[in-house]
Amino acid sequence: MKQYSALTLITALAVCISQFAHAQGNKEAANFARQGAEASKNQDWDKAIDLFRKATDRDRKFAPNLAVAYQQRGFAAANDQKFEDAIRDFGEAIKINSRDARIYEQRAAVEMKMRDYDKALADYSELIKLKPNEVRYLNYRAYIYEVKDDVQNSMTDTEKVLKQDPNNQDAKTRKQRLEQKLAERMPLTPPPRPSSPKASPPAAKTP
């Protein structure tokens, strides 16, 4: 899984929004956010999530911080092979911020490791809605379709990849495999129909 600079992001969000909330007089929410940012720096994700949730309850402008904290705890859980925990945290992050492609991508990566291809397929489909021209997402979805033996949809996504990136080796190799599968599934050419006799056989002679 690709690692993102969410620590930097969560700190920046906390500081920026805390200053705004403080200016508006929401000192309690700002204080929770500052503590949450500190907990994030120390990678104490449970504490960070609890604090950012308290901040968000008092001021919805802190919701992005909470989403990133869930995302980071999910990432840490995935690295520890705690896949179910990771899926749960990524799901909470998506509930808060459903437009962040990175969260879907991280959750899909975990689902792939779990071989939960149906859920991974759904997440890559959401990613493609968010970023229709992202070759990586199309390539992964094409791969999943191939694993599920959905040759037609795999070929469709593979062709989209090759249209954007004609030299994409993964897509080129997959297309060869898919073409071979399609060829194997084509029905055999039926034998020619027997021709009708041109003349009636001679009648049997009577003694």
Side-chain angles (χ1 to χ4, degrees):
M1 294 173 60
K2 183 177 178 182
Q3 187 167 7
Y4 299 97
S5 56
L7 276 172
T8 302
L9 174 60
I10 202 167
T11 303
L13 281 170
V15 172
C16 178
I17 301 175
S18 294
Q19 291 174 344
F20 178 84
H22 185 74
Q24 299 299 315
N26 196 339
K27 295 181 181 180
E28 187 178 26
N31 186 49
F32 282 130
R34 281 192 292 270
Q35 293 178 51
E38 189 62 33
S40 296
K41 288 180 184 178
N42 297 327
Q43 299 186 31
D44 188 347
W45 307 120
D46 293 346
K47 184 176 180 180
I49 287 172
D50 181 59
L51 288 164
F52 282 128
R53 187 184 294 113
K54 289 177 180 178
T56 302
D57 288 343
R58 289 157 178 79
D59 190 334
R60 288 297 302 171
K61 292 183 177 65
F62 290 91
N65 301 61
L66 180 58
V68 174
Y70 271 122
Q71 183 184 359
Q72 279 300 93
R73 190 171 72 174
F75 185 82
N79 284 338
D80 289 339
Q81 308 292 304
K82 298 176 181 177
F83 296 141
E84 293 291 347
D85 291 343
I87 293 294
R88 186 163 49 251
D89 278 342
F90 289 140
E92 290 299 322
I94 287 171
K95 288 178 186 178
I96 299 168
N97 185 4
S98 61
R99 303 294 298 175
D100 191 337
R102 296 173 303 174
I103 310 173
Y104 286 102
E105 185 173 2
Q106 289 176 319
R107 187 169 71 174
V110 175
E111 289 161 345
M112 292 285 282
K113 288 183 178 181
M114 298 173 70
R115 297 187 181 183
D116 193 340
Y117 294 119
D118 288 336
K119 290 181 179 178
L121 181 65
D123 275 340
Y124 278 114
S125 294
E126 287 298 323
L127 281 164
I128 291 167
K129 289 178 186 178
L130 293 171
K131 296 186 176 182
N133 298 319
E134 179 56 63
V135 167
R136 287 183 301 121
Y137 303 154
L138 287 166
N139 239 346
Y140 273 116
R141 192 170 72 171
Y143 167 78
I144 296 171
Y145 276 132
E146 184 183 8
V147 169
K148 290 172 62 66
D149 203 31
D150 188 340
V151 177
Q152 292 293 345
N153 277 321
S154 183
M155 182 65 85
T156 298
D157 279 350
T158 299
E159 293 286 7
K160 289 178 182 178
V161 172
L162 291 172
K163 185 176 181 180
Q164 297 182 60
D165 182 7
N167 296 318
N168 190 287
Q169 192 58 49
D170 286 336
K172 289 169 68 175
T173 303
R174 184 185 309 108
K175 184 176 180 180
Q176 292 175 354
R177 292 196 304 269
L178 295 171
E179 286 175 339
Q180 183 176 349
K181 286 183 179 181
L182 287 171
E184 291 170 353
R185 293 178 184 184
M186 289 184 66
L188 294 173
T189 303
R193 299 178 62 183
S195 57
S196 301
K198 294 182 179 179
S200 300
K205 294 181 179 180
T206 55

mmCIF file with all atom_site columns, all heavy atoms in Angstrom, residues 34-58:
data_model
loop_
_atom_site.group_PDB
_atom_site.id
_atom_site.type_symbol
_atom_site.label_atom_id
_atom_site.label_alt_id
_atom_site.label_comp_id
_atom_site.label_asym_id
_atom_site.label_entity_id
_atom_site.label_seq_id
_atom_site.pdbx_PDB_ins_code
_atom_site.Cartn_x
_atom_site.Cartn_y
_atom_site.Cartn_z
_atom_site.occupancy
_atom_site.B_iso_or_equiv
_atom_site.pdbx_formal_charge
_atom_site.auth_seq_id
_atom_site.auth_comp_id
_atom_site.auth_asym_id
_atom_site.auth_atom_id
_atom_site.pdbx_PDB_model_num
ATOM 1   N N   . ARG A 1 34 ? -6.412  20.795 18.936 1.00 0.00 ? 34 ARG A N   1
ATOM 2   C CA  . ARG A 1 34 ? -4.963  20.908 19.187 1.00 0.00 ? 34 ARG A CA  1
ATOM 3   C C   . ARG A 1 34 ? -4.435  19.645 19.881 1.00 0.00 ? 34 ARG A C   1
ATOM 4   O O   . ARG A 1 34 ? -3.371  19.124 19.538 1.00 0.00 ? 34 ARG A O   1
ATOM 5   C CB  . ARG A 1 34 ? -4.676  22.147 20.046 1.00 0.00 ? 34 ARG A CB  1
ATOM 6   C CG  . ARG A 1 34 ? -4.691  23.463 19.268 1.00 0.00 ? 34 ARG A CG  1
ATOM 7   C CD  . ARG A 1 34 ? -4.111  24.589 20.105 1.00 0.00 ? 34 ARG A CD  1
ATOM 8   N NE  . ARG A 1 34 ? -4.978  24.911 21.241 1.00 0.00 ? 34 ARG A NE  1
ATOM 9   C CZ  . ARG A 1 34 ? -5.959  25.799 21.208 1.00 0.00 ? 34 ARG A CZ  1
ATOM 10  N NH1 . ARG A 1 34 ? -6.214  26.451 20.085 1.00 0.00 ? 34 ARG A NH1 1
ATOM 11  N NH2 . ARG A 1 34 ? -6.689  26.044 22.272 1.00 0.00 ? 34 ARG A NH2 1
ATOM 12  N N   . GLN A 1 35 ? -5.205  19.148 20.845 1.00 0.00 ? 35 GLN A N   1
ATOM 13  C CA  . GLN A 1 35 ? -4.795  17.912 21.520 1.00 0.00 ? 35 GLN A CA  1
ATOM 14  C C   . GLN A 1 35 ? -4.808  16.732 20.553 1.00 0.00 ? 35 GLN A C   1
ATOM 15  O O   . GLN A 1 35 ? -3.948  15.843 20.607 1.00 0.00 ? 35 GLN A O   1
ATOM 16  C CB  . GLN A 1 35 ? -5.727  17.634 22.694 1.00 0.00 ? 35 GLN A CB  1
ATOM 17  C CG  . GLN A 1 35 ? -5.623  18.645 23.828 1.00 0.00 ? 35 GLN A CG  1
ATOM 18  C CD  . GLN A 1 35 ? -6.612  18.324 24.949 1.00 0.00 ? 35 GLN A CD  1
ATOM 19  O OE1 . GLN A 1 35 ? -6.684  17.208 25.444 1.00 0.00 ? 35 GLN A OE1 1
ATOM 20  N NE2 . GLN A 1 35 ? -7.400  19.318 25.332 1.00 0.00 ? 35 GLN A NE2 1
ATOM 21  N N   . GLY A 1 36 ? -5.784  16.717 19.661 1.00 0.00 ? 36 GLY A N   1
ATOM 22  C CA  . GLY A 1 36 ? -5.860  15.653 18.664 1.00 0.00 ? 36 GLY A CA  1
ATOM 23  C C   . GLY A 1 36 ? -4.680  15.677 17.722 1.00 0.00 ? 36 GLY A C   1
ATOM 24  O O   . GLY A 1 36 ? -4.133  14.628 17.360 1.00 0.00 ? 36 GLY A O   1
ATOM 25  N N   . ALA A 1 37 ? -4.269  16.878 17.335 1.00 0.00 ? 37 ALA A N   1
ATOM 26  C CA  . ALA A 1 37 ? -3.113  17.010 16.458 1.00 0.00 ? 37 ALA A CA  1
ATOM 27  C C   . ALA A 1 37 ? -1.850  16.505 17.151 1.00 0.00 ? 37 ALA A C   1
ATOM 28  O O   . ALA A 1 37 ? -1.003  15.852 16.535 1.00 0.00 ? 37 ALA A O   1
ATOM 29  C CB  . ALA A 1 37 ? -2.940  18.466 16.033 1.00 0.00 ? 37 ALA A CB  1
ATOM 30  N N   . GLU A 1 38 ? -1.739  16.787 18.433 1.00 0.00 ? 38 GLU A N   1
ATOM 31  C CA  . GLU A 1 38 ? -0.572  16.324 19.192 1.00 0.00 ? 38 GLU A CA  1
ATOM 32  C C   . GLU A 1 38 ? -0.577  14.795 19.298 1.00 0.00 ? 38 GLU A C   1
ATOM 33  O O   . GLU A 1 38 ? 0.473   14.144 19.148 1.00 0.00 ? 38 GLU A O   1
ATOM 34  C CB  . GLU A 1 38 ? -0.582  16.956 20.585 1.00 0.00 ? 38 GLU A CB  1
ATOM 35  C CG  . GLU A 1 38 ? 0.690   16.718 21.384 1.00 0.00 ? 38 GLU A CG  1
ATOM 36  C CD  . GLU A 1 38 ? 1.919   17.322 20.732 1.00 0.00 ? 38 GLU A CD  1
ATOM 37  O OE1 . GLU A 1 38 ? 1.800   18.370 20.075 1.00 0.00 ? 38 GLU A OE1 1
ATOM 38  O OE2 . GLU A 1 38 ? 3.012   16.721 20.877 1.00 0.00 ? 38 GLU A OE2 1
ATOM 39  N N   . ALA A 1 39 ? -1.749  14.229 19.540 1.00 0.00 ? 39 ALA A N   1
ATOM 40  C CA  . ALA A 1 39 ? -1.853  12.770 19.611 1.00 0.00 ? 39 ALA A CA  1
ATOM 41  C C   . ALA A 1 39 ? -1.506  12.133 18.265 1.00 0.00 ? 39 ALA A C   1
ATOM 42  O O   . ALA A 1 39 ? -0.882  11.068 18.212 1.00 0.00 ? 39 ALA A O   1
ATOM 43  C CB  . ALA A 1 39 ? -3.265  12.366 20.043 1.00 0.00 ? 39 ALA A CB  1
ATOM 44  N N   . SER A 1 40 ? -1.886  12.803 17.184 1.00 0.00 ? 40 SER A N   1
ATOM 45  C CA  . SER A 1 40 ? -1.565  12.294 15.852 1.00 0.00 ? 40 SER A CA  1
ATOM 46  C C   . SER A 1 40 ? -0.060  12.288 15.611 1.00 0.00 ? 40 SER A C   1
ATOM 47  O O   . SER A 1 40 ? 0.477   11.340 15.032 1.00 0.00 ? 40 SER A O   1
ATOM 48  C CB  . SER A 1 40 ? -2.253  13.146 14.778 1.00 0.00 ? 40 SER A CB  1
ATOM 49  O OG  . SER A 1 40 ? -3.653  13.053 14.891 1.00 0.00 ? 40 SER A OG  1
ATOM 50  N N   . LYS A 1 41 ? 0.600   13.342 16.052 1.00 0.00 ? 41 LYS A N   1
ATOM 51  C CA  . LYS A 1 41 ? 2.058   13.397 15.905 1.00 0.00 ? 41 LYS A CA  1
ATOM 52  C C   . LYS A 1 41 ? 2.715   12.211 16.613 1.00 0.00 ? 41 LYS A C   1
ATOM 53  O O   . LYS A 1 41 ? 3.706   11.659 16.143 1.00 0.00 ? 41 LYS A O   1
ATOM 54  C CB  . LYS A 1 41 ? 2.605   14.699 16.486 1.00 0.00 ? 41 LYS A CB  1
ATOM 55  C CG  . LYS A 1 41 ? 2.285   15.935 15.666 1.00 0.00 ? 41 LYS A CG  1
ATOM 56  C CD  . LYS A 1 41 ? 2.881   17.168 16.346 1.00 0.00 ? 41 LYS A CD  1
ATOM 57  C CE  . LYS A 1 41 ? 2.508   18.436 15.602 1.00 0.00 ? 41 LYS A CE  1
ATOM 58  N NZ  . LYS A 1 41 ? 3.056   19.643 16.285 1.00 0.00 ? 41 LYS A NZ  1
ATOM 59  N N   . ASN A 1 42 ? 2.135   11.808 17.729 1.00 0.00 ? 42 ASN A N   1
ATOM 60  C CA  . ASN A 1 42 ? 2.666   10.688 18.502 1.00 0.00 ? 42 ASN A CA  1
ATOM 61  C C   . ASN A 1 42 ? 2.115   9.343  18.033 1.00 0.00 ? 42 ASN A C   1
ATOM 62  O O   . ASN A 1 42 ? 2.400   8.312  18.642 1.00 0.00 ? 42 ASN A O   1
ATOM 63  C CB  . ASN A 1 42 ? 2.335   10.881 19.981 1.00 0.00 ? 42 ASN A CB  1
ATOM 64  C CG  . ASN A 1 42 ? 2.994   12.120 20.566 1.00 0.00 ? 42 ASN A CG  1
ATOM 65  O OD1 . ASN A 1 42 ? 4.095   12.494 20.161 1.00 0.00 ? 42 ASN A OD1 1
ATOM 66  N ND2 . ASN A 1 42 ? 2.307   12.765 21.503 1.00 0.00 ? 42 ASN A ND2 1
ATOM 67  N N   . GLN A 1 43 ? 1.316   9.381  16.953 1.00 0.00 ? 43 GLN A N   1
ATOM 68  C CA  . GLN A 1 43 ? 0.701   8.180  16.379 1.00 0.00 ? 43 GLN A CA  1
ATOM 69  C C   . GLN A 1 43 ? -0.161  7.432  17.399 1.00 0.00 ? 43 GLN A C   1
ATOM 70  O O   . GLN A 1 43 ? -0.279  6.206  17.361 1.00 0.00 ? 43 GLN A O   1
ATOM 71  C CB  . GLN A 1 43 ? 1.772   7.259  15.790 1.00 0.00 ? 43 GLN A CB  1
ATOM 72  C CG  . GLN A 1 43 ? 2.553   7.922  14.664 1.00 0.00 ? 43 GLN A CG  1
ATOM 73  C CD  . GLN A 1 43 ? 3.513   6.983  13.978 1.00 0.00 ? 43 GLN A CD  1
ATOM 74  O OE1 . GLN A 1 43 ? 3.266   5.780  13.893 1.00 0.00 ? 43 GLN A OE1 1
ATOM 75  N NE2 . GLN A 1 43 ? 4.617   7.513  13.469 1.00 0.00 ? 43 GLN A NE2 1
ATOM 76  N N   . ASP A 1 44 ? -0.757  8.183  18.295 1.00 0.00 ? 44 ASP A N   1
ATOM 77  C CA  . ASP A 1 44 ? -1.721  7.625  19.246 1.00 0.00 ? 44 ASP A CA  1
ATOM 78  C C   . ASP A 1 44 ? -3.104  7.811  18.620 1.00 0.00 ? 44 ASP A C   1
ATOM 79  O O   . ASP A 1 44 ? -3.849  8.733  18.950 1.00 0.00 ? 44 ASP A O   1
ATOM 80  C CB  . ASP A 1 44 ? -1.616  8.358  20.588 1.00 0.00 ? 44 ASP A CB  1
ATOM 81  C CG  . ASP A 1 44 ? -2.466  7.702  21.676 1.00 0.00 ? 44 ASP A CG  1
ATOM 82  O OD1 . ASP A 1 44 ? -3.314  6.852  21.329 1.00 0.00 ? 44 ASP A OD1 1
ATOM 83  O OD2 . ASP A 1 44 ? -2.281  8.044  22.860 1.00 0.00 ? 44 ASP A OD2 1
ATOM 84  N N   . TRP A 1 45 ? -3.430  6.905  17.701 1.00 0.00 ? 45 TRP A N   1
ATOM 85  C CA  . TRP A 1 45 ? -4.611  7.110  16.871 1.00 0.00 ? 45 TRP A CA  1
ATOM 86  C C   . TRP A 1 45 ? -5.910  7.020  17.657 1.00 0.00 ? 45 TRP A C   1
ATOM 87  O O   . TRP A 1 45 ? -6.859  7.756  17.369 1.00 0.00 ? 45 TRP A O   1
ATOM 88  C CB  . TRP A 1 45 ? -4.607  6.102  15.725 1.00 0.00 ? 45 TRP A CB  1
ATOM 89  C CG  . TRP A 1 45 ? -3.341  6.090  14.940 1.00 0.00 ? 45 TRP A CG  1
ATOM 90  C CD1 . TRP A 1 45 ? -2.486  5.049  14.763 1.00 0.00 ? 45 TRP A CD1 1
ATOM 91  C CD2 . TRP A 1 45 ? -2.758  7.205  14.247 1.00 0.00 ? 45 TRP A CD2 1
ATOM 92  N NE1 . TRP A 1 45 ? -1.407  5.442  14.000 1.00 0.00 ? 45 TRP A NE1 1
ATOM 93  C CE2 . TRP A 1 45 ? -1.548  6.749  13.673 1.00 0.00 ? 45 TRP A CE2 1
ATOM 94  C CE3 . TRP A 1 45 ? -3.133  8.530  14.059 1.00 0.00 ? 45 TRP A CE3 1
ATOM 95  C CZ2 . TRP A 1 45 ? -0.718  7.574  12.917 1.00 0.00 ? 45 TRP A CZ2 1
ATOM 96  C CZ3 . TRP A 1 45 ? -2.307  9.357  13.313 1.00 0.00 ? 45 TRP A CZ3 1
ATOM 97  C CH2 . TRP A 1 45 ? -1.124  8.894  12.748 1.00 0.00 ? 45 TRP A CH2 1
ATOM 98  N N   . ASP A 1 46 ? -5.993  6.139  18.627 1.00 0.00 ? 46 ASP A N   1
ATOM 99  C CA  . ASP A 1 46 ? -7.221  6.035  19.418 1.00 0.00 ? 46 ASP A CA  1
ATOM 100 C C   . ASP A 1 46 ? -7.523  7.354  20.116 1.00 0.00 ? 46 ASP A C   1
ATOM 101 O O   . ASP A 1 46 ? -8.665  7.837  20.108 1.00 0.00 ? 46 ASP A O   1
ATOM 102 C CB  . ASP A 1 46 ? -7.091  4.922  20.464 1.00 0.00 ? 46 ASP A CB  1
ATOM 103 C CG  . ASP A 1 46 ? -7.015  3.534  19.833 1.00 0.00 ? 46 ASP A CG  1
ATOM 104 O OD1 . ASP A 1 46 ? -7.334  3.409  18.628 1.00 0.00 ? 46 ASP A OD1 1
ATOM 105 O OD2 . ASP A 1 46 ? -6.637  2.590  20.540 1.00 0.00 ? 46 ASP A OD2 1
ATOM 106 N N   . LYS A 1 47 ? -6.507  7.934  20.713 1.00 0.00 ? 47 LYS A N   1
ATOM 107 C CA  . LYS A 1 47 ? -6.686  9.210  21.409 1.00 0.00 ? 47 LYS A CA  1
ATOM 108 C C   . LYS A 1 47 ? -7.014  10.310 20.415 1.00 0.00 ? 47 LYS A C   1
ATOM 109 O O   . LYS A 1 47 ? -7.889  11.156 20.679 1.00 0.00 ? 47 LYS A O   1
ATOM 110 C CB  . LYS A 1 47 ? -5.416  9.555  22.187 1.00 0.00 ? 47 LYS A CB  1
ATOM 111 C CG  . LYS A 1 47 ? -5.535  10.824 23.014 1.00 0.00 ? 47 LYS A CG  1
ATOM 112 C CD  . LYS A 1 47 ? -4.259  11.067 23.837 1.00 0.00 ? 47 LYS A CD  1
ATOM 113 C CE  . LYS A 1 47 ? -4.374  12.333 24.669 1.00 0.00 ? 47 LYS A CE  1
ATOM 114 N NZ  . LYS A 1 47 ? -3.135  12.573 25.456 1.00 0.00 ? 47 LYS A NZ  1
ATOM 115 N N   . ALA A 1 48 ? -6.323  10.306 19.276 1.00 0.00 ? 48 ALA A N   1
ATOM 116 C CA  . ALA A 1 48 ? -6.569  11.347 18.274 1.00 0.00 ? 48 ALA A CA  1
ATOM 117 C C   . ALA A 1 48 ? -8.012  11.295 17.776 1.00 0.00 ? 48 ALA A C   1
ATOM 118 O O   . ALA A 1 48 ? -8.675  12.329 17.658 1.00 0.00 ? 48 ALA A O   1
ATOM 119 C CB  . ALA A 1 48 ? -5.600  11.176 17.103 1.00 0.00 ? 48 ALA A CB  1
ATOM 120 N N   . ILE A 1 49 ? -8.494  10.086 17.500 1.00 0.00 ? 49 ILE A N   1
ATOM 121 C CA  . ILE A 1 49 ? -9.869  9.951  17.016 1.00 0.00 ? 49 ILE A CA  1
ATOM 122 C C   . ILE A 1 49 ? -10.860 10.419 18.058 1.00 0.00 ? 49 ILE A C   1
ATOM 123 O O   . ILE A 1 49 ? -11.829 11.132 17.751 1.00 0.00 ? 49 ILE A O   1
ATOM 124 C CB  . ILE A 1 49 ? -10.132 8.483  16.598 1.00 0.00 ? 49 ILE A CB  1
ATOM 125 C CG1 . ILE A 1 49 ? -9.404  8.187  15.290 1.00 0.00 ? 49 ILE A CG1 1
ATOM 126 C CG2 . ILE A 1 49 ? -11.625 8.210  16.466 1.00 0.00 ? 49 ILE A CG2 1
ATOM 127 C CD1 . ILE A 1 49 ? -9.426  6.733  14.889 1.00 0.00 ? 49 ILE A CD1 1
ATOM 128 N N   . ASP A 1 50 ? -10.636 10.049 19.304 1.00 0.00 ? 50 ASP A N   1
ATOM 129 C CA  . ASP A 1 50 ? -11.542 10.472 20.378 1.00 0.00 ? 50 ASP A CA  1
ATOM 130 C C   . ASP A 1 50 ? -11.579 11.993 20.494 1.00 0.00 ? 50 ASP A C   1
ATOM 131 O O   . ASP A 1 50 ? -12.656 12.592 20.611 1.00 0.00 ? 50 ASP A O   1
ATOM 132 C CB  . ASP A 1 50 ? -11.091 9.852  21.697 1.00 0.00 ? 50 ASP A CB  1
ATOM 133 C CG  . ASP A 1 50 ? -12.006 10.237 22.853 1.00 0.00 ? 50 ASP A CG  1
ATOM 134 O OD1 . ASP A 1 50 ? -13.214 9.931  22.780 1.00 0.00 ? 50 ASP A OD1 1
ATOM 135 O OD2 . ASP A 1 50 ? -11.513 10.852 23.816 1.00 0.00 ? 50 ASP A OD2 1
ATOM 136 N N   . LEU A 1 51 ? -10.414 12.618 20.417 1.00 0.00 ? 51 LEU A N   1
ATOM 137 C CA  . LEU A 1 51 ? -10.345 14.077 20.554 1.00 0.00 ? 51 LEU A CA  1
ATOM 138 C C   . LEU A 1 51 ? -10.952 14.782 19.347 1.00 0.00 ? 51 LEU A C   1
ATOM 139 O O   . LEU A 1 51 ? -11.697 15.765 19.502 1.00 0.00 ? 51 LEU A O   1
ATOM 140 C CB  . LEU A 1 51 ? -8.891  14.503 20.759 1.00 0.00 ? 51 LEU A CB  1
ATOM 141 C CG  . LEU A 1 51 ? -8.301  14.147 22.127 1.00 0.00 ? 51 LEU A CG  1
ATOM 142 C CD1 . LEU A 1 51 ? -6.777  14.242 22.105 1.00 0.00 ? 51 LEU A CD1 1
ATOM 143 C CD2 . LEU A 1 51 ? -8.875  15.071 23.209 1.00 0.00 ? 51 LEU A CD2 1
ATOM 144 N N   . PHE A 1 52 ? -10.656 14.300 18.162 1.00 0.00 ? 52 PHE A N   1
ATOM 145 C CA  . PHE A 1 52 ? -11.221 14.929 16.968 1.00 0.00 ? 52 PHE A CA  1
ATOM 146 C C   . PHE A 1 52 ? -12.729 14.726 16.890 1.00 0.00 ? 52 PHE A C   1
ATOM 147 O O   . PHE A 1 52 ? -13.453 15.576 16.378 1.00 0.00 ? 52 PHE A O   1
ATOM 148 C CB  . PHE A 1 52 ? -10.545 14.407 15.698 1.00 0.00 ? 52 PHE A CB  1
ATOM 149 C CG  . PHE A 1 52 ? -9.195  15.011 15.443 1.00 0.00 ? 52 PHE A CG  1
ATOM 150 C CD1 . PHE A 1 52 ? -8.105  14.212 15.202 1.00 0.00 ? 52 PHE A CD1 1
ATOM 151 C CD2 . PHE A 1 52 ? -9.013  16.390 15.438 1.00 0.00 ? 52 PHE A CD2 1
ATOM 152 C CE1 . PHE A 1 52 ? -6.853  14.760 14.952 1.00 0.00 ? 52 PHE A CE1 1
ATOM 153 C CE2 . PHE A 1 52 ? -7.772  16.952 15.205 1.00 0.00 ? 52 PHE A CE2 1
ATOM 154 C CZ  . PHE A 1 52 ? -6.680  16.141 14.951 1.00 0.00 ? 52 PHE A CZ  1
ATOM 155 N N   . ARG A 1 53 ? -13.217 13.593 17.419 1.00 0.00 ? 53 ARG A N   1
ATOM 156 C CA  . ARG A 1 53 ? -14.661 13.400 17.459 1.00 0.00 ? 53 ARG A CA  1
ATOM 157 C C   . ARG A 1 53 ? -15.308 14.426 18.390 1.00 0.00 ? 53 ARG A C   1
ATOM 158 O O   . ARG A 1 53 ? -16.368 14.986 18.076 1.00 0.00 ? 53 ARG A O   1
ATOM 159 C CB  . ARG A 1 53 ? -14.995 11.977 17.914 1.00 0.00 ? 53 ARG A CB  1
ATOM 160 C CG  . ARG A 1 53 ? -16.497 11.662 17.809 1.00 0.00 ? 53 ARG A CG  1
ATOM 161 C CD  . ARG A 1 53 ? -16.839 10.292 18.345 1.00 0.00 ? 53 ARG A CD  1
ATOM 162 N NE  . ARG A 1 53 ? -16.257 9.220  17.539 1.00 0.00 ? 53 ARG A NE  1
ATOM 163 C CZ  . ARG A 1 53 ? -15.303 8.403  17.954 1.00 0.00 ? 53 ARG A CZ  1
ATOM 164 N NH1 . ARG A 1 53 ? -14.805 8.530  19.174 1.00 0.00 ? 53 ARG A NH1 1
ATOM 165 N NH2 . ARG A 1 53 ? -14.852 7.449  17.174 1.00 0.00 ? 53 ARG A NH2 1
ATOM 166 N N   . LYS A 1 54 ? -14.672 14.658 19.520 1.00 0.00 ? 54 LYS A N   1
ATOM 167 C CA  . LYS A 1 54 ? -15.198 15.667 20.443 1.00 0.00 ? 54 LYS A CA  1
ATOM 168 C C   . LYS A 1 54 ? -15.181 17.048 19.801 1.00 0.00 ? 54 LYS A C   1
ATOM 169 O O   . LYS A 1 54 ? -16.124 17.835 19.969 1.00 0.00 ? 54 LYS A O   1
ATOM 170 C CB  . LYS A 1 54 ? -14.373 15.668 21.729 1.00 0.00 ? 54 LYS A CB  1
ATOM 171 C CG  . LYS A 1 54 ? -14.584 14.435 22.596 1.00 0.00 ? 54 LYS A CG  1
ATOM 172 C CD  . LYS A 1 54 ? -13.691 14.459 23.826 1.00 0.00 ? 54 LYS A CD  1
ATOM 173 C CE  . LYS A 1 54 ? -13.910 13.222 24.702 1.00 0.00 ? 54 LYS A CE  1
ATOM 174 N NZ  . LYS A 1 54 ? -13.009 13.205 25.878 1.00 0.00 ? 54 LYS A NZ  1
ATOM 175 N N   . ALA A 1 55 ? -14.102 17.342 19.078 1.00 0.00 ? 55 ALA A N   1
ATOM 176 C CA  . ALA A 1 55 ? -14.020 18.643 18.399 1.00 0.00 ? 55 ALA A CA  1
ATOM 177 C C   . ALA A 1 55 ? -15.101 18.760 17.339 1.00 0.00 ? 55 ALA A C   1
ATOM 178 O O   . ALA A 1 55 ? -15.754 19.795 17.205 1.00 0.00 ? 55 ALA A O   1
ATOM 179 C CB  . ALA A 1 55 ? -12.637 18.819 17.776 1.00 0.00 ? 55 ALA A CB  1
ATOM 180 N N   . THR A 1 56 ? -15.312 17.669 16.591 1.00 0.00 ? 56 THR A N   1
ATOM 181 C CA  . THR A 1 56 ? -16.310 17.677 15.516 1.00 0.00 ? 56 THR A CA  1
ATOM 182 C C   . THR A 1 56 ? -17.720 17.806 16.067 1.00 0.00 ? 56 THR A C   1
ATOM 183 O O   . THR A 1 56 ? -18.578 18.459 15.460 1.00 0.00 ? 56 THR A O   1
ATOM 184 C CB  . THR A 1 56 ? -16.181 16.391 14.674 1.00 0.00 ? 56 THR A CB  1
ATOM 185 O OG1 . THR A 1 56 ? -14.860 16.310 14.135 1.00 0.00 ? 56 THR A OG1 1
ATOM 186 C CG2 . THR A 1 56 ? -17.175 16.371 13.528 1.00 0.00 ? 56 THR A CG2 1
ATOM 187 N N   . ASP A 1 57 ? -17.973 17.172 17.214 1.00 0.00 ? 57 ASP A N   1
ATOM 188 C CA  . ASP A 1 57 ? -19.300 17.290 17.829 1.00 0.00 ? 57 ASP A CA  1
ATOM 189 C C   . ASP A 1 57 ? -19.634 18.733 18.165 1.00 0.00 ? 57 ASP A C   1
ATOM 190 O O   . ASP A 1 57 ? -20.803 19.132 18.151 1.00 0.00 ? 57 ASP A O   1
ATOM 191 C CB  . ASP A 1 57 ? -19.360 16.450 19.112 1.00 0.00 ? 57 ASP A CB  1
ATOM 192 C CG  . ASP A 1 57 ? -19.394 14.962 18.826 1.00 0.00 ? 57 ASP A CG  1
ATOM 193 O OD1 . ASP A 1 57 ? -19.689 14.583 17.667 1.00 0.00 ? 57 ASP A OD1 1
ATOM 194 O OD2 . ASP A 1 57 ? -19.119 14.168 19.748 1.00 0.00 ? 57 ASP A OD2 1
ATOM 195 N N   . ARG A 1 58 ? -18.602 19.510 18.439 1.00 0.00 ? 58 ARG A N   1
ATOM 196 C CA  . ARG A 1 58 ? -18.807 20.921 18.808 1.00 0.00 ? 58 ARG A CA  1
ATOM 197 C C   . ARG A 1 58 ? -18.709 21.859 17.613 1.00 0.00 ? 58 ARG A C   1
ATOM 198 O O   . ARG A 1 58 ? -19.238 22.967 17.659 1.00 0.00 ? 58 ARG A O   1
ATOM 199 C CB  . ARG A 1 58 ? -17.785 21.320 19.889 1.00 0.00 ? 58 ARG A CB  1
ATOM 200 C CG  . ARG A 1 58 ? -18.086 20.657 21.234 1.00 0.00 ? 58 ARG A CG  1
ATOM 201 C CD  . ARG A 1 58 ? -16.860 20.555 22.117 1.00 0.00 ? 58 ARG A CD  1
ATOM 202 N NE  . ARG A 1 58 ? -17.184 19.967 23.421 1.00 0.00 ? 58 ARG A NE  1
ATOM 203 C CZ  . ARG A 1 58 ? -17.354 18.656 23.612 1.00 0.00 ? 58 ARG A CZ  1
ATOM 204 N NH1 . ARG A 1 58 ? -17.246 17.812 22.604 1.00 0.00 ? 58 ARG A NH1 1
ATOM 205 N NH2 . ARG A 1 58 ? -17.651 18.188 24.825 1.00 0.00 ? 58 ARG A NH2 1
#
